[in-house]
Amino acid sequence: MSNSRVAVNSKLTVVSSRPVSASGKGKAHALSALDSAMGSHTVHVIYYYKNEEKWFESFDLLDPLRESLSEVLTLYPTVTGRLGKRGVDGGWEVKCNDAGVRVIKASVDATLDQWLKSASGSEENLLVAWDHMPDDPTTWSPFRIQVNRFEGGGVAIGISCSHMVADLTFLASFFKSWTEVHRHLAITHPPFVAPLPNHADDDAESLPRHAKTHSPRNMATATFKFSSSIINRCLSKVHGTCPNATPFDFLAALFWNRIARVKPPKNHHQTHCLCICTDFRNLIKASLPIGYFGNALHFSMLSQKVEDMQLGGIVSAVHSHLKGLSEEEIWSTNNEGNYYCMYGTELTCVCMEHLVFEEENESLLYAAMFGNNEKPIQVSCRVGNVDYGEGLITVMPSEEGGLSRTVMVMLPEEELAELSKDEAILELEPAMLLAGSVVSGGPLT
């Protein structure tokens, strides 16, 4: 964009501090059918820090932050590897060849506070680095890190990857591991590299993909932050209808209901669909750890006449839908390659409740600290190449902890403009950040 406040200063490749051992050199990790089906999307997480403890200085060769990145990469050979095709069946795999991770250094012509108050969604995209995968990916890094320095010392670190190799949960666990190595702590969620149980080794090209019946549109994003006390009050109001409602149940229902009112009608029955994206690491008997390398996402469809329902009824419908998900349904979807609705043409809502650890009263996202007492003041999570659909809602933990939640919404520009004035949302007194246009037409670049 013209007159950009973000300037790239340098690009480099960071390798592990110790080469892959002889036993691991040349090994490859086969991607699952689900991984391959996610290939048209990208994943991006941005962590904002005040840097009050001065843990970030320059990211030069001997800078402690760069040294800790090299150290943690030793434990993640799949992150420093490169994508390729298997010889016999042509399926995708990550070759553990110790090729390193692309790192970009950038400076921002604004203070951190100024940025958070004024940056648009398209500007925030500039804090993450991404290049499209070329025809020959053997030298292309599927993981990218961009370190952004603000005036006055603030820092934003954007980490990106192809959705084919990992989901948001893995990215968050990898980033937290980096902060723990930096602080000389034991890693809480080590990497777990293994095939999905019962997964099919289908090539991405042979899988049914969601139908892109729309042309790409100019989308806009807005971030709504709800306090713990507000969410507690909202849950109390729907307690009679849904006594075990979670913050996600309420916020998914609220935004689904309000977005339905600003979208043009699609049918005379006024039935609206919501595709819910859920992490299934803890939903299967042989549960997968947080550090599982790959995708552990299930997409399921819920249809309701939400404009005619009381909010409590919609909350109950969302809650019952999620409680009704079975392991049989999850594996059926994975084994049959039935990925029709993922980030597809229907409104999609991503649930990140599994990243809230109640026993620790914190979330995985905001436990990532390079300084001993300095948590991120804001974390943004984005999925690239979703501008063919009806929109994307991401409900994620917030820095306040407890029941507080951050909701990131991507909608067509005119719809988001109406949603941002919606009285039912505004009466909950959300803090609104990073509202603005997004350049559409493909993954974040």
Side-chain angles (χ1 to χ4, degrees):
M1 59 184 292
S2 60
N3 301 319
S4 173
R5 292 188 288 177
V6 181
V8 172
N9 304 133
S10 63
K11 299 179 181 181
L12 62 150
T13 298
V14 177
V15 298
S16 57
S17 58
R18 295 182 299 279
V20 174
S21 64
S23 60
K25 194 75 172 179
K27 284 190 174 180
H29 170 67
L31 301 185
S32 70
L34 173 59
D35 294 334
S36 296
M38 305 295 283
S40 62
H41 299 291
T42 52
V43 186
H44 312 265
V45 186
I46 304 172
Y47 293 81
Y48 292 93
Y49 294 92
K50 289 187 175 180
N51 189 33
E52 291 179 334
E53 297 182 23
K54 307 300 181 185
W55 49 265
F56 175 79
E57 295 297 336
S58 64
F59 206 79
D60 290 330
L61 183 60
L62 300 179
D63 184 86
L65 187 65
R66 182 168 168 180
E67 291 180 348
S68 60
L69 176 58
S70 292
E71 187 69 21
V72 77
L73 288 176
T74 303
L75 307 175
Y76 288 82
T78 50
V79 171
T80 59
R82 296 293 182 264
L83 282 166
K85 291 291 191 77
R86 293 192 296 273
V88 178
D89 57 17
W92 285 104
E93 65 182 6
V94 177
K95 300 178 185 296
C96 300
N97 58 5
D98 208 19
V101 171
R102 296 284 191 269
V103 178
I104 288 82
K105 292 170 58 179
S107 56
V108 184
D109 186 18
T111 67
L112 179 56
D113 287 341
Q114 289 171 341
W115 178 268
L116 291 177
K117 291 176 182 177
S118 64
S120 67
S122 56
E123 272 197 302
E124 191 181 41
N125 292 348
L126 300 177
L127 300 183
V128 293
W130 191 249
D131 291 327
H132 296 293
M133 184 172 68
D135 293 335
D136 179 8
T138 54
T139 61
W140 175 80
S141 175
F143 286 85
R144 311 256 162 165
I145 297 172
Q146 183 165 318
V147 182
N148 306 275
R149 185 168 195 165
F150 293 89
E151 290 183 355
V155 180
I157 300 180
I159 180 167
S160 307
C161 74
S162 167
H163 215 326
M164 186 189 298
V165 294
D167 55 20
L168 286 167
T169 300
F170 175 81
L171 270 192
S173 68
F174 167 74
F175 190 84
K176 186 169 185 286
S177 294
W178 179 10
T179 68
E180 289 166 334
V181 168
H182 186 80
R183 296 164 59 208
H184 307 291
L185 300 175
I187 291 178
T188 308
H189 303 289
F192 179 79
V193 181
L196 268 181
N198 301 322
H199 83 267
D201 290 324
D202 295 325
D203 181 12
E205 301 299 326
S206 66
L207 287 168
R209 307 297 290 274
H210 57 272
K212 293 182 177 179
T213 57
H214 298 297
S215 299
R217 296 178 284 181
N218 282 337
M219 307 290 274
T221 62
T223 301
F224 303 81
K225 302 175 74 173
F226 298 90
S227 68
S228 188
S229 60
I230 285 290
I231 296 299
N232 185 55
R233 189 175 75 194
C234 293
L235 294 179
S236 298
K237 288 184 177 180
V238 299
H239 184 269
T241 307
C242 188
N244 296 317
T246 67
F248 173 82
D249 298 333
F250 176 82
L251 290 169
L254 173 66
F255 278 85
W256 186 19
N257 174 260
R258 306 319 295 178
I259 291 173
R261 295 171 184 269
V262 302
K263 282 190 173 294
K266 297 177 67 175
N267 56 67
H268 66 278
H269 298 294
Q270 290 296 295
T271 299
H272 293 268
C273 296
L274 184 69
C275 179
I276 301 181
C277 173
T278 314
D279 188 283
F280 63 72
R281 282 168 170 81
N282 293 324
L283 299 180
I284 57 177
K285 291 179 181 177
S287 61
L288 296 169
I290 289 291
Y292 167 72
F293 178 80
N295 287 277
L297 300 176
H298 179 67
F299 295 82
S300 56
M301 197 71 76
L302 177 60
S303 299
Q304 298 284 330
K305 293 183 178 180
V306 293
E307 290 183 89
D308 301 329
M309 297 175 64
Q310 295 292 324
L311 184 59
I314 307 174
V315 173
S316 181
V318 173
H319 182 81
S320 299
H321 177 80
L322 291 178
K323 284 296 182 181
L325 292 179
S326 66
E327 182 170 2
E328 180 181 2
E329 177 186 343
I330 292 170
W331 290 131
S332 174
T333 300
N334 277 280
N335 291 334
E336 296 174 10
N338 182 23
Y339 304 122
Y340 175 77
C341 69
M342 62 176 168
Y343 307 125
T345 55
E346 301 297 344
L347 182 67
T348 302
C349 190
V350 179
C351 176
M352 300 180 72
E353 291 295 296
H354 65 288
L355 296 184
V356 180
F357 304 116
E358 294 182 0
E359 66 276 8
E360 302 171 12
N361 194 31
E362 66 178 8
S363 74
L364 181 68
L365 294 173
Y366 288 92
M369 301 187 297
F370 288 102
N372 292 325
N373 296 292
E374 187 180 349
K375 295 182 178 181
I377 63 169
Q378 169 74 7
V379 179
S380 295
C381 296
R382 294 172 175 268
V383 177
N385 201 23
V386 295
D387 53 311
Y388 287 87
E390 291 294 315
L392 182 67
I393 309 165
T394 303
V395 181
M396 53 191 284
S398 196
E399 70 274 13
E400 181 189 340
L403 298 175
S404 68
R405 294 293 184 269
T406 296
V407 182
M408 297 189 68
V409 180
M410 177 185 287
L411 288 173
E413 288 180 328
E414 64 280 3
E415 294 176 10
L416 188 66
E418 291 298 313
L419 185 73
S420 299
K421 298 181 291 186
D422 188 275
E423 293 183 1
I425 294 176
L426 294 180
E427 71 179 11
L428 303 183
E429 302 175 357
M432 292 182 62
L433 301 170
L434 297 166
S437 298
V438 174
V439 178
S440 300
L444 293 170
T445 55

